[in-house]
Amino acid sequence: LLPPGSGCCGKMAVRKDAPSLPDFDVLKRLARDQLVYLLEQLPGKKDLFIEADLMSPLDRIANVSILKQHDVEKLYKLDNKPVVGVSDQLCFLVRPRISSVKHVAEIVNADKADGRLRKYKIIFTPQKFYMCETVLEEEGIFGDVTIDEWDFYLLPLDDDLISMELPEFFRDYFLEGDHRWMCTVAKALHVLHSLFGPFSKTYGIGRCAKMTYQLWKEIVADTESELKPRQAEIGQVFFIDRDVDYVTPMCSQVVYEGLVDDVFRIKCGSVDFGSEVTSSEKSVKVLLNSHDKVFKEIRNEHFSNVFGFLSQKARRLQMQYDKRQGMDIKQMKDFVSQELKSLKQEHRLLSLRKWPRSGIL
């Protein structure tokens, strides 16, 4: 379910007689509640600085309106450009990276040089590392900031797809031999075990899988008394190291979703179609999951079959629209109240699926 090395659990083939999937949306709710709690630990108006690669995952958990409800006045993307917040309280949501900590230190030290007094809070996600505190001490701001951790381990991207959204995991472990993320993966696994387990059987292949399993078992041993007996929603777990199979990711994809990913890059469960595709001045961000009825039908279809399917779908929609002709007033009211909204929604989804064609062909 959670293959170390990719930080993501693959889509599961669903049989007709298969049990219903767990409600993975509970992971979003837990993450959102903890983030709100951490923000409220800095009472009053505040500016929130967000690391660039956390903006998309954060948007799936807590959108701007939710953040505004909890006294976040302005949002900034944390990058190398100098940004001066207007609030007297600054909150930083960052990965545990040395570069990010140093950038925060630059902002704090610039305020100190200008004689400006503010409160600062750093929220590391999914956890903080010792090296981060060391850098804060070296930069001379350790006593000027408060530090917290946001245990944001797992992000549901679809009904049967969860991601850890750890872009550096592969490089750190498989290329540089850095084991610092092992505990993070084990904690993520324990979250699944606590919410949807207990797991009856676990299988694994690879060194990383073995290390993750051993760390997870240690966590289970420490917290076993806290778990209440219940019916397991996830019974078996498979750990598979990425280095067991380097060939598959290099193969050319020929299904619709795969080609969209190859050409446009699917990030955090969504894709950005630029102006060259949409034929307008603005790019459009499209969420890709099973709640999109059209995408659900074509995501695993061979690309050569997709546009014939979309053309048939468009003709069927037009026929449903054409039913309006010759309707009396009562029938028209029923059509508007019962069918028109869903037809418009399906027509919009159908239009979105045609955009990638120009970029792929």
Side-chain angles (χ1 to χ4, degrees), residues 39-305:
L39 291 174
E40 289 181 345
Q41 297 305 298
L42 196 63
K45 300 293 183 181
K46 61 188 77 70
D47 290 343
L48 180 61
F49 292 76
I50 307 168
E51 194 156 359
D53 66 356
L54 281 172
M55 297 193 82
S56 291
L58 178 62
D59 191 49
R60 301 289 296 266
I61 297 295
N63 57 29
V64 174
S65 62
I66 292 176
L67 297 175
K68 295 283 187 183
Q69 291 171 16
H70 298 280
D71 294 328
V72 174
E73 274 197 303
K74 289 185 177 293
L75 296 173
Y76 298 94
K77 181 167 73 172
L78 187 68
D79 50 28
N80 293 324
K81 299 176 183 178
V83 176
V84 181
V86 298
S87 175
D88 288 331
Q89 299 189 116
L90 304 184
C91 186
F92 302 90
L93 183 61
V94 298
R95 299 283 193 190
R97 298 168 178 152
I98 292 177
S99 58
S100 300
V101 177
K102 285 188 174 181
H103 189 46
V104 172
E106 289 174 5
I107 295 173
V108 176
N109 283 325
D111 280 352
K112 290 167 72 174
D114 293 337
R116 183 166 186 178
L117 297 177
R118 293 203 259 204
K119 290 184 178 179
Y120 308 95
K121 182 184 185 72
I122 304 176
I123 301 175
F124 291 104
T125 186
Q127 67 182 89
K128 72 173 184 289
F129 293 131
Y130 173 74
M131 65 178 185
C132 298
E133 295 180 331
T134 302
V135 172
L136 290 173
E137 290 179 350
E138 291 173 351
E139 297 292 329
I141 66 164
F142 186 79
D144 300 309
V145 301
T146 57
I147 300 173
D148 261 312
E149 290 179 316
W150 181 28
D151 304 329
F152 180 29
Y153 297 120
L154 297 164
L155 174 65
L157 299 179
D158 208 339
D159 294 339
D160 57 354
L161 183 66
I162 316 170
S163 172
M164 289 192 67
E165 293 299 304
L166 285 180
E168 58 261 83
F169 182 93
F170 178 83
R171 182 199 64 222
D172 285 356
Y173 179 81
F174 290 102
L175 299 183
E176 299 180 3
D178 188 341
H179 295 179
R180 61 180 173 154
W181 294 111
M182 289 292 93
C183 189
T184 307
V185 178
K187 287 179 179 178
L189 184 64
H190 188 61
V191 169
L192 291 177
H193 174 75
S194 303
L195 295 174
F196 309 112
F199 306 145
S200 57
K201 291 184 179 179
T202 54
Y203 307 87
I205 178 171
R207 290 177 55 201
C208 183
K210 183 177 181 180
M211 291 172 61
T212 301
Y213 173 80
Q214 291 172 338
L215 286 169
W216 168 62
K217 292 301 288 184
E218 290 177 10
I219 297 173
V220 170
D222 292 338
T223 60
E224 200 166 12
S225 59
E226 302 173 11
L227 297 178
K228 297 178 181 180
R230 65 175 178 279
Q231 181 67 36
E233 295 181 77
I234 297 176
Q236 302 181 38
V237 179
F238 295 81
F239 305 85
I240 305 173
D241 277 18
R242 177 72 276 167
D243 62 357
V244 170
D245 175 22
Y246 281 136
V247 175
T248 299
M250 305 298 175
C251 294
S252 298
Q253 303 189 72
V254 293
V255 297
Y256 178 82
E257 184 176 12
L259 281 172
V260 169
D261 181 44
D262 277 347
V263 177
F264 301 102
R265 303 308 301 166
I266 299 174
K267 296 180 181 178
C268 201
S270 63
V271 61
D272 282 308
F273 293 127
S275 56
E276 71 281 1
V277 177
T278 62
S279 300
S280 65
E281 295 181 359
K282 294 182 179 180
S283 62
V284 177
K285 188 174 185 178
V286 180
L287 198 61
L288 303 177
N289 59 35
S290 298
H291 299 287
D292 180 335
K293 293 180 182 179
V294 176
F295 178 69
K296 184 178 181 180
E297 291 187 78
I298 64 174
R299 68 189 308 172
N300 296 318
E301 289 292 326
H302 192 281
F303 191 75
S304 61
N305 300 329

